[in-house]
Amino acid sequence: MTNIKDDFYEAVNQDWLETAEIPSDKPATGGFQDIAENIEQLLIKQLNEMSVDESKIPEGKMKEAIAFYRLANDYDKRNSLKSEPIQDLLDRIQEIDSYQDLNQQLASWIKDGLPLPFEFFVDADMKDTQKHALYLAPTALILPDKTYYDSEQGEKLLQVFFDMVVELLNLTGCSQSESETIAEQALAFDRSLVPYVRTAEENADYTKIYNPRDRKTVTTYSDQIDLTQAFDQLFDDTVEQVIITEPEYFENFNTFITDGHLPLLKSWMFALTVVGYARYLSEDFRQAASQYRRALSGIENIPSQEKAAFHLTLNQFDQIIGLYYGKNYFGKKAKQDVEHMVHSMIAIYKDRLKQNDWLGEATKEKAVLKLDNIGINVGYPDKIPAVYHQLVTNKEDSLVANVRNFSKLARLANFKKFKKPVDRNEWEMAASTVNAYYNGSLNIIVFPAAILQAPFYSLEQSASANYGGIGAVIAHEISHAFDNNGAKFDEYGNMNNWWTKEDLASFEKLAQEMIKEFDGLQFAGGTVNGKLTVSENIADAGGLSCALEAAKKEDQNHLEAFFYNWAKIWRTKAKEQYQQLLLAIDVHAPAKLRANVQLQNLDDFFTVFDIQSTDGMYRKPENRVKIGN
């Protein structure tokens, strides 16, 4: 038996870790994943019942979701159509002989979501979050991160991707030699982008994506792509400024968008179009398209046809299905209780700020003002985004045709927001999602109904256990308002330095201590990147210590239960490939380390469990990072 004094996470979760099995169609199982799996089974059952008996379909847009679900489950029709639903897209790509050909249909190409080496999106202007701005970003690489390239692991994954593309192209009717040439050229184009994109670590500093450029500067990035025409045809208002997320990429655009690269670009677009739509096509496409994802994550089998159909439906109707879930499975009493916890912890943050001994009064006042203005969303939204009301499933058409139409509507709805006011009440996450988030540009925290259940939260659990679970998650999200990214945004969500020079220097010193605490820790055959994970680690530290203080203020508290539940919510068993993927790209530290390391920063943990210097969980007082206090 593992002793809790030596490895708290292992000791608390020992029985579960010995018996838990990772589902064959999942890369991991654990606290978050188990809830998600239960919700998935529940909603599939509900959708199946509605598919058979329309009287069970509630009023509103769920009827369109059910119609889509039926199409997604109609594998006979999907198998009979083979690649026909995307043939017109493939023909369009093949018919391009010059950049002039591409420019003539560039706006419709973007609306239709065909692959391009860049993407537009509209979001809140990070320095004026009352209105929407236009952003220009690079396309995604084939591998998860540029650090994968020129590594043995990366080369193996690229070979899997190559083999998968060849098989998929064969299914579209391409010969073996044609398929291999297209796959080779697609990978060559992808490789040409690698020197100019950022790593996940670089992008972990969220503010780096804010690089406003005037229209003239942006339109001169490319000698070949007519961005002026795209601006004029895609947006109702004149585009005078664009926010460039990665300037180096676009300043080198002419390096990889050349006449000589056109065949490579075409092959890249062709291959990615087939890969992108494969899961909506016939079963042989779906099976073939799973190869790369399985190699990347260690998944043994792909989801059943029924599960796959459910997730395709969820992709299109997530807010509609999420609202159905929230209204039916989340009660008012739980909502009130969770909101009480949120307000309790905000009050604790305020007290801590007032008592803080390393912040100046001016910075404290701005921090309290930010807390006073933080938006709180619990359970499910009052309304869904307007674009969902446009979704009407055409039962006579193919699944792909409906997906293409819905995707186009979503892009156009996003583009329509350009220069329009920002709706602070619009949720970015469905109520059926087992997660939570803080949006720095809106200064809001959101806790969907799905995560508000055991082990995170239950009316049947003690207050201490709830604070160790959902309480720590809630405080974690509040802490994001003051992590190394959130601290750069003011009470309105505007990117604005409201810290004094001295206070900022003190904060950055503490952030560096958090980086040092995690950087280089051994896990799953690799090491943790302290810079990549620093914002989440800061939020964990602040969240856990705040939730602990809130638990201690309750009339009845049982701190052992608090700490036990903290370790319980992070229990995870995952495939090694998936763990290594997360080490490379995930801004969160591995679950076990999140559980154990943060406990070692809390003095109360050592007292409650009588941790001594000879114990594995011991950390010297001077080495305990107190950034959240």
Side-chain angles (χ1 to χ4, degrees), residues 382-620:
D382 294 328
K383 61 178 182 178
I384 57 174
V387 67
Y388 286 90
H389 295 290
Q390 301 178 44
L391 305 185
V392 178
T393 303
N394 185 334
K395 302 173 187 177
E396 306 305 316
D397 221 331
S398 69
L399 177 65
V400 170
N402 279 278
V403 170
R404 288 170 60 177
N405 180 43
F406 293 167
S407 299
K408 184 174 183 177
L409 288 171
R411 275 184 289 276
L412 292 176
N414 179 252
F415 293 164
K416 285 283 185 185
K417 292 180 178 180
F418 179 52
K419 292 189 178 179
K420 300 293 191 298
V422 172
D423 182 359
R424 195 169 179 233
N425 296 315
E426 187 170 293
W427 286 36
E428 300 168 24
M429 189 177 283
S432 56
T433 305
V434 187
N435 213 329
Y437 69 91
Y438 170 76
N439 184 317
S441 291
L442 301 180
N443 193 28
I444 61 170
I445 48 178
V446 179
F447 305 102
I451 199 172
L452 303 175
Q453 56 185 296
F456 295 92
Y457 171 81
S458 171
L459 290 169
E460 306 302 317
Q461 291 180 170
S462 69
S464 293
N466 280 338
Y467 274 109
I470 197 61
V473 173
I474 290 169
H476 169 104
E477 300 305 337
I478 297 172
S479 294
H480 272 312
F482 306 103
D483 69 14
N484 61 308
N485 281 317
K488 299 170 185 174
F489 295 82
D490 64 20
E491 70 271 21
Y492 302 110
N494 295 322
M495 194 166 76
N496 174 27
N497 182 18
W498 45 273
W499 295 65
T500 64
K501 184 177 180 181
E502 295 76 16
D503 290 344
L504 186 60
S506 297
F507 174 79
E508 289 176 345
K509 181 175 181 291
L510 288 169
Q512 192 60 43
E513 289 180 17
M514 185 62 75
I515 291 172
K516 183 180 178 182
E517 183 171 56
F518 277 86
D519 196 51
L521 292 179
Q522 299 285 325
F523 193 80
T527 56
V528 177
N529 182 331
K531 289 183 179 179
L532 174 65
T533 58
V534 62
S535 66
E536 295 297 333
N537 291 332
I538 290 173
D540 275 348
L544 183 60
S545 62
C546 178
L548 176 60
E549 190 167 336
K552 289 162 69 175
K553 288 180 179 292
E554 291 292 317
D555 292 336
Q556 294 182 335
N557 67 69
H558 184 57
L559 296 189
E560 290 92 342
F562 174 91
F563 291 119
Y564 275 122
N565 207 34
W566 165 256
K568 187 177 179 181
I569 66 172
W570 294 117
R571 65 187 187 190
T572 303
K573 185 178 282 191
K575 298 287 187 180
E576 186 168 331
Q577 299 98 311
Y578 185 61
Q579 292 172 329
Q580 291 172 346
L581 169 66
L582 296 182
L583 281 174
I585 66 171
D586 192 4
V587 293
H588 303 85
K592 176 179 177 176
L593 300 181
R594 295 180 76 175
N596 273 350
V597 175
Q598 297 296 354
L599 292 178
Q600 293 172 303
N601 292 324
L602 297 175
D603 297 339
D604 280 325
F605 172 71
F606 294 86
T607 302
V608 170
F609 293 101
D610 189 29
I611 307 294
Q612 301 297 321
S613 59
T614 53
D615 297 322
M617 288 296 294
Y618 184 77
R619 178 173 293 153
K620 293 179 180 178

Side-chain angles (χ1 to χ4, degrees), residues 218-233:
V218 176
T219 56
T220 56
Y221 279 146
S222 178
D223 296 335
Q224 305 290 358
I225 304 292
D226 188 355
L227 292 175
T228 299
Q229 179 176 300
F231 291 150
D232 293 341
Q233 293 183 8

